Amino acid sequence: MPPQAGRAAGGGVARPARPDRPARVPQRRPAPVRRPAPAPAARRLPNPRLTGLGGGLFCGLVMLVLGLLVAAVFGASQTVYGVLFLPVCVLTAVWVREGDLLTAPVIVPIAFAVGLVPVAGEGGDGVGDRLMGLVTGLATQVGWLYGGTLVAGLIVLGRRIRRVNRRAAKGRPQV
């Protein structure tokens, strides 16, 4: 049977060829872009991104463990505790994610006080003696406390400036 008027042989609508439009030629997909292989994991430093709460827990728990360790090994040496406080400040400021940058300088002094409890309690075992040792330890080790807070604040400030500059560079028109 011959095809109906306006119908193609398969039952579809027959359309006349348009001279103004060239026939479609199937396009080839471009070859996939090859990216270099990532560096081996052994050479990379850890780069965790902690939330504000995670940074607080990290810093507080590490300082508590270091305080217990210093009290057991070094006989509650507050100077050793202060020296160990500085790298924890640096790690906390570097590992906190960009959205929570301003929490790092707040977390650090709180963690210092948390970890100072086992170090400062060298007198008696009562609550009053521990509290008196904590206040005395905070007063005598204020240099380490301010130094660690300053280090964390400077790192956070540098990261924040870099973040703002990076965002401003993205918004600039390319010349």
Side-chain angles (χ1 to χ4, degrees), residues 16-79:
R18 297 176 83 184
D20 60 335
R21 195 182 293 178
R24 288 192 178 189
V25 178
Q27 298 287 325
R28 287 182 140 186
R29 285 189 170 180
V33 177
R34 294 185 186 230
R35 294 192 172 109
R43 283 193 250 167
R44 271 198 234 156
L45 292 174
N47 194 16
R49 289 290 166 226
L50 300 172
T51 61
L53 178 61
L57 290 173
F58 165 75
C59 194
L61 288 176
V62 169
M63 289 312 299
L64 182 62
V65 168
L66 286 176
L68 290 169
L69 204 70
V70 166
V73 175
F74 295 104
S77 172
Q78 293 182 358
T79 304

Side-chain angles (χ1 to χ4, degrees), residues 136-162:
T136 304
L138 286 172
T140 58
Q141 301 302 315
V142 74
W144 294 112
L145 178 62
Y146 285 166
T149 306
L150 180 67
V151 166
L154 289 175
I155 291 172
V156 164
L157 185 63
R159 287 183 62 197
R160 179 72 178 169
I161 289 171
R162 189 179 69 193

